[in-house]
Structure formats: C-alpha cells, structure tokens
Amino acid sequence: MGRTTNRIAKEKISRVSTRWFKSVPLFLTLSALIFAKPASPALDIALTSSASSTVSAGDVVTWNASVSGESTDRFWYRFRARLLGSDFHVIRDYGPNSILDWTALDEGTYEIEVSVRDRETGDASAVLAQTLISWRVTDGPAVNPTANPLVFLYSAPPCSKGSRMRVQFQTEGGPVQQTPFKSCDASRSMNFYVAGLLPNTPYKAWYLTDTGSQFATGPSVGFATGDSGAPAALFTQSVVMSGPAAGGFLLASSFVAPAATDLKGNLVWYANNGVSFITSVDPSGGFWSIVESSTADQSGQSIRKFDLTGLTLKETNAARVNEQLSAMGRRPISAFHHDVKTLPDGRIVALAAVEQILSDVQGPGPVDILGDAIIVLDSDLNVIWSWDTFDHLDVTRAAVLGEICNQGAGGCPPYYLAAVANDWTHGNSVQQTPDGQFLYSARHQDWLVKIAYDNGEGDGHVIWKLGKDGDFRFDSADPYPWFSHQHDANVLFSDPSSVLVFDNGNTRHGVAQGGNSRGQVIRLDEQNRTATLALNADLGVYSLALGTAQQMSNGNFNFDAGYIMDPTSPAGSAAYAVEVDPAGKIVYKAKANAILYRWLRVPDLYSSN
C-alpha cells in the first residue's frame, strides 16, 4: 500500500499578474487575462469567462477552456482555484470536461487555473486567469436568490475578528432554522446559503453574532420563495404514516434527482445537476455523489462533491484514477459506485468496481467477474491508498444467490469486458472505524469485512468477516439472526463495540419463504469472535434492495427500506423511512412513491446528524 504523487511529463504554466483597481471595469481586466497564452507554443489555450463587469460574492462564473486548432478529443482538462495568497485546490481533476461553473462566497482576487494535457504526448500546459469577487453588501444585510429556487444567499456586513456568525430564519409559525457558524473576518462580508425552504412561502432571516462573551442579533430581512421548479419526474409525495411531524428533514437519494422534504412530506430542496445519486452529507458542507453513465468510458464515471446550489466543489473520474493506479501497479477500476464520503482526517474514500475475466472460476471457461476496490484520495484527489477484493477475498466463493450483471440492465456499475458478468461482491458501503480500520459491506457475500487500513498505513489484510459462514459465532435464539444482502453498515458513534446495519434479508427471505427486512444493532466481542443482537427490529416491509442504517442524535435509529414492490404505488414500487427507538418500537414512518437508494434523517441541510 504505497503513496503516489501525480507526475506529468511537462507542465509549463504561464502566470499572468495584473494590478487590480476598483475603478477599472472588471470586464476590461478580464479580457486582458482570459485570453492569455501559455509560454509553450505547443498548446494555444484560451480560457474564457462568462463574467460581466460586476462579479459579486455568490455570482456564478462559467469558465470555458479550449485549444486552438486541435481536436478536442486529444485533451484532458483540470481546473484549480485559489484566493490570492493561499494554496491552489483542485476542483475538477483531469478529464474531458472543458467547462466549469464556479463561484466564491468570500471577497478578494481569485486565480483560476486550467491545465490542459495532450493525451497523445503526455505534455501539459496551463493558463491562469484572475477574477475579483466584490462585496455584495455595505450597510445592512440582504437576501438574494440563487440558481436553485429553493436556496437563497444571505449577506451581512463584516463582523469583528475573533467572533463568529450564523444565520437564523423561519416562516411564520414555523421552527427556527439556522446555518452553521462561520468565523468573522473584519475585512470581508459574511455570506451564507440558506436552504430548507418551502416553495411559495414568505420567510424572515437575521444574523446571530457570537463574540465569545455575548450574542448579538441583527435586523430581520424578509424574502419569499417562488415555485420550486422541480422536474415533474422528481418524487414529491411522501406520506407520513405515524409519529412526530416536526424537526429535521428527510434527505432522499433518488435516482431522478436528490431531494429533501420536511417530515410532513413537503419538498424543501432538490438538485437537478445530473448526478446519479448522492451518498453522504459532507461534514464541511455539501453532498458527495456518484455519476454513472452506461454509454461512457471510464472518464465518464465520476465522484462529485457539490454545494447546495448544485455547483461542483470536487470531482474526479475513473480514468484519471486509473492513471494513478497503474503507476502503483494496481488493477484499473471500471466505475465508482454506491459510496463516497469524507474521512475524519479530510481524506476521501470511495467504492469502485474492478473486473477480471478468469477461466474456470465461478463457471466453466472464461467468466467476467465483477469485484470491488476501495480507493482513498487526499483532498486534492490524488490516490494514496487502495484495496482490491481480488487480492484479499476468495474469488471461488461466488455470490451467495448467484447474481449476475447484464449490460445496461441497471443494478450494477458500468463494466466493459463482457456483456454478462458475475456480480461477485457488490459492495455498498465503507466506513472508517474508531480504531482506524475499514468496515466494508459485501452485499452478495452476506458479509461485513473489517480491513486493515490503519489510518492509511495498513497492508489491507482481512481482520475478520462478520456474517453467516464468517469468523463470528452468533449468540442468539433467533432462528436466522444473520443479516443478508445488507446495506449501509457502520459502527455506532455511541458504542464502538456495536455495528448498525440494514438487513434487507434476501437470503433469509428465500430460506424462510418470506419475512421482513430488519434494522439490526450487533454487539461484537472481537477478541472471542462472538456476536449478540442488541436490536433486531422488524420494519414491517421487505426491501429487496437498497437501504440505509443511521443512528440519530436522539438515540433512535433511522432505516430506509429503499425498494419495496408496492402495487398501490403509481410506479409499482415504493420506499419507507422508518424510525425506531432503542427497543425496536416504530415511532415514525414515511412513504415515498419512488425507489430511494438512501433516505437520511438530517437536522438541517448542512450536517448529517
């Protein structure tokens, strides 16, 4: 398990510096910069901008890179940005997309760099452009719309250094919502995205400043939302079956578009930005997602972090990752799938598909076998650690229920070596455990696997396998205590000796000729390899695929039964979000007339718990 750094054969960066004056129209300054040419004559790169004469905090700027006189198929583009005086950070790593929509919420002069790499020669050149983000307010606070009709930008004057500020907002009679705190900087205004808003509703918003010794409240500003503009195919009906109807939201990972509702089923947010599905809320804000395309090559298979308005914050693709894996002597991946999230130390972990054609393994003659990889990237999207099922699991142990993939049929990530593949492991979640290892869910093996990650220094060996025919003995009177075809396994934050999992129950369902999906908390004695059930909640429905298992801040548990055959639903299928207390009693249940990969309970749209 080694570390790598990106190596480019040649990279010639043409740096353009310009003194900025507020009295000079911005479009004149931009025009002098965005057509700057690199020092190398090999690539004639133009970086153009949609910016007008005024670019205020939160305004979206579209950057478009091109190479004069050349076929665009030869080139990959990487976009980086920085506030002058700080380090560059990668927004989108090398790939075929030459256009970037970008914004900043802090005033100042920013540099945008596009690096263009010739895929035939390996040479790369880069150009830089600057843009000035100006103040949006000077006297009092203001609220302005964004491109997302259910997200607004709240702007306030600067506050004293050492203090911090947040925004609170509510509709008449509704609960007070609030953004996270931001540290104050006396030289810059304060800008916040406000989200979790009902369509066609008036609101008022104000800022709250914490000086360390007292709280100060700013003046109230009124604003109103309009129509949501949500696409017609987006699920908007969510029927509360029982339980409380106030507090928090349901964040739905729909395959149409990610969306959030309040607990009464009213739409309060969605993103129509082309992602396939979201996987997690990032602790620093924004959402991680998977982008899959059954018709694209590996450069069209991506992980993407985006903000509340839908703008890309970080993105890389399987083809770019494969360049780095090749340099490390590892197998390539075909696509990302199921899970991507930020680790506690700021690194990024993602699941990816790996395929090999093996002879007389899991069938006679050549067989395409689809396994999994775990990819760890640093904050600039460089691969620093990887793990591969073909290296660490027994490939002769086929999928428990014999699942296969058919090209274009859905349910499997994109793959390329054959029309039909054995869906061997079908991983669907990976989590870093409190002791620095990885917990990986292999759905088609009916196993949870603990992997020696050791905070990035581990050799990847399998520490144990939890599940039927694994390494643990179950101390239980239940006739079939084992989970099967499970989803979203994670260690409880309140009890590191316990694992929470959504038990779809496919194998048990077949053996017992029926039975519902369950929410389980399994207490482990790792030294003696014994397991006991602390929670084994019957959720009242059978979800043949998909699912969420989540411990909530109130001590209860949220489970998403994501794919239920339901003839009463217009689409013939439905999903349920079920909240149970520690004793397994259902205290809240909601239904969506849609298939939902994950359905998270969140207190707001800025945090996961």
Side-chain angles (χ1 to χ4, degrees):
M1 302 299 144
R3 299 177 182 272
T4 65
T5 55
N6 294 326
R7 290 180 293 180
I8 300 175
K10 297 178 182 178
E11 184 166 9
K12 302 178 177 64
I13 299 178
S14 172
R15 297 189 175 273
V16 182
S17 61
T18 299
R19 189 182 303 273
W20 290 88
F21 296 95
K22 290 186 178 180
S23 60
V24 178
L26 185 59
F27 74 91
L28 293 178
T29 316
L30 280 171
S31 66
L33 292 169
I34 58 182
F35 293 103
K37 304 293 181 62
S40 169
L43 297 180
D44 186 7
I45 303 170
L47 178 59
T48 60
S49 166
S50 66
S52 63
S53 58
T54 301
V55 180
S56 299
D59 283 348
V60 177
V61 180
T62 299
W63 298 95
N64 195 329
S66 60
V67 181
S68 299
E70 298 287 353
S71 168
T72 57
D73 292 341
R74 288 178 52 187
F75 302 107
W76 274 2
Y77 306 83
R78 183 190 68 188
F79 287 90
R80 303 196 302 169
R82 69 172 178 178
L83 180 65
L84 281 186
S86 61
D87 294 331
F88 275 109
H89 65 275
V90 174
I91 301 173
R92 182 182 292 125
D93 207 350
Y94 283 108
N97 195 341
S98 62
I99 299 174
L100 177 72
D101 290 332
W102 170 88
T103 192
L105 297 185
D106 293 322
E107 298 93 357
T109 302
Y110 287 80
E111 281 190 319
I112 307 296
E113 177 203 78
V114 62
S115 179
V116 182
R117 181 146 60 87
D118 188 325
R119 298 179 65 198
E120 294 182 4
T121 66
D123 290 349
S125 298
V127 293
L128 289 156
Q130 290 183 347
T131 187
L132 179 66
I133 302 296
S134 63
W135 287 39
R136 185 173 284 277
V137 295
T138 54
D139 298 324
V143 180
N144 287 282
T146 71
N148 188 315
L150 295 181
V151 179
F152 281 71
L153 179 65
Y154 179 98
S155 304
C159 47
S160 301
K161 189 173 183 179
S163 300
R164 59 180 188 161
M165 180 186 288
R166 77 185 338 162
V167 177
Q168 297 181 318
F169 54 101
Q170 70 176 146
T171 186
E172 184 175 355
V176 174
Q177 300 184 57
Q178 57 191 16
T179 70
F181 276 108
K182 282 186 179 181
S183 298
C184 296
D185 182 343
S187 64
R188 293 188 175 94
S189 66
M190 303 293 288
N191 296 281
F192 303 80
Y193 286 129
V194 172
L197 307 170
L198 295 165
N200 302 307
T201 303
Y203 282 85
K204 58 182 179 180
W206 60 93
Y207 64 78
L208 181 70
T209 303
D210 176 13
T211 66
S213 60
Q214 63 180 1
F215 291 95
T217 301
S220 177
V221 179
F223 67 100
T225 59
D227 187 78
S228 70
L234 178 64
F235 96 93
T236 55
Q237 290 78 36
S238 174
V239 181
V240 174
M241 304 291 289
S242 61
F249 300 103
L250 284 163
L251 177 62
S253 182
S254 164
F255 293 102
V256 176
T261 66
D262 64 18
L263 298 192
K264 297 178 182 179
N266 301 304
L267 184 71
V268 297
W269 175 84
Y270 73 97
N272 192 22
N273 59 349
V275 302
S276 300
F277 53 90
I278 58 172
T279 64
S280 62
V281 182
D282 190 272
S284 64
F287 309 90
W288 277 110
S289 66
I290 302 289
V291 180
E292 291 182 352
S293 172
S294 61
T295 60
D297 63 17
Q298 285 91 336
S299 68
Q301 319 299 336
S302 304
I303 54 172
R304 180 188 302 170
K305 180 184 174 184
F306 64 91
D307 69 13
L308 282 161
T309 69
L311 287 182
T312 297
L313 300 174
K314 285 186 182 296
E315 182 174 0
T316 192
N317 61 80
R320 172 65 182 133
V321 165
N322 282 340
E323 292 181 333
Q324 300 172 69
L325 291 174
S326 176
M328 299 167 71
R330 309 290 165 78
R331 293 183 188 88
I333 61 175
S334 63
F336 295 103
H337 65 88
H338 280 90
D339 208 5
V340 54
K341 62 186 61 163
T342 303
L343 297 173
D345 62 3
R347 295 172 178 174
I348 302 154
V349 63
L351 280 176
V354 180
E355 61 176 322
Q356 285 198 96
I357 293 182
L358 301 177
S359 293
D360 299 321
V361 175
Q362 297 188 21
V367 178
D368 190 13
I369 301 174
L370 200 61
D372 291 313
I374 298 173
I375 307 294
V376 179
L377 307 113
D378 66 17
S379 59
D380 265 341
L381 304 173
N382 301 302
V383 178
I384 56 175
W385 194 89
S386 69
W387 182 89
D388 189 329
T389 52
F390 286 102
D391 295 330
H392 296 283
L393 296 181
D394 179 7
V395 73
T396 65
R397 187 180 193 266
V400 171
L401 298 181
E403 287 89 350
I404 62 171
C405 297
N406 289 287
Q407 287 281 11
C412 296
Y415 61 98
Y416 299 94
L417 299 183
V420 177
N422 282 9
D423 198 2
W424 171 37
T425 51
H426 200 99
N428 55 39
S429 69
V430 59
Q431 183 213 24
Q432 186 172 346
T433 60
D435 60 356
Q437 314 307 333
F438 278 147
L439 183 67
Y440 155 69
S441 171
R443 169 175 161 88
H444 288 173
Q445 294 291 301
D446 286 354
W447 278 346
L448 304 182
V449 183
K450 190 171 185 180
I451 297 163
Y453 173 62
D454 197 18
N455 296 309
E457 302 299 328
D459 63 5
H461 74 269
V462 171
I463 299 172
W464 48 250
K465 301 181 289 291
L466 176 66
K468 191 175 184 299
D469 303 322
D471 299 320
F472 283 75
R473 175 180 60 83
F474 225 131
D475 184 6
S476 173
D478 189 289
Y480 202 110
W482 293 114
F483 52 80
S484 61
H485 278 49
Q486 71 288 339
H487 277 82
D488 201 20
N490 54 94
V491 175
L492 290 187
F493 57 76
S494 63
D495 179 10
S497 69
S498 295
V499 172
L500 176 67
V501 64
F502 178 75
D503 169 32
N504 292 77
N506 298 55
T507 305
R508 170 175 50 85
H509 191 85
V511 170
Q513 299 299 305
N516 294 325
S517 297
R518 303 180 297 194
Q520 293 186 322
V521 174
I522 305 170
R523 188 168 291 119
L524 302 179
D525 180 343
E526 293 189 58
Q527 182 175 354
N528 296 307
R529 296 293 194 261
T530 59
T532 56
L533 282 169
L535 175 70
N536 194 29
D538 187 324
L539 302 178
V541 291
Y542 171 57
S543 179
L544 59 94
L546 314 179
T548 300
Q550 175 191 15
Q551 185 178 28
M552 299 167 59
S553 58
N554 65 0
N556 289 350
F557 302 96
N558 171 62
F559 297 102
D560 162 36
Y563 190 2
I564 299 160
M565 303 307 295
D566 184 353
T568 69
S569 172
S573 54
Y576 283 87
V578 183
E579 179 185 350
V580 303
D581 66 16
K585 178 184 176 182
I586 295 176
V587 298
Y588 171 86
K589 185 185 287 187
K591 176 185 176 182
N593 293 318
I595 298 171
L596 299 180
Y597 170 52
R598 287 182 178 166
W599 205 2
L600 300 170
R601 282 285 292 274
V602 293
D604 50 54
L605 295 180
Y606 311 97
S607 53
S608 56
N609 276 301

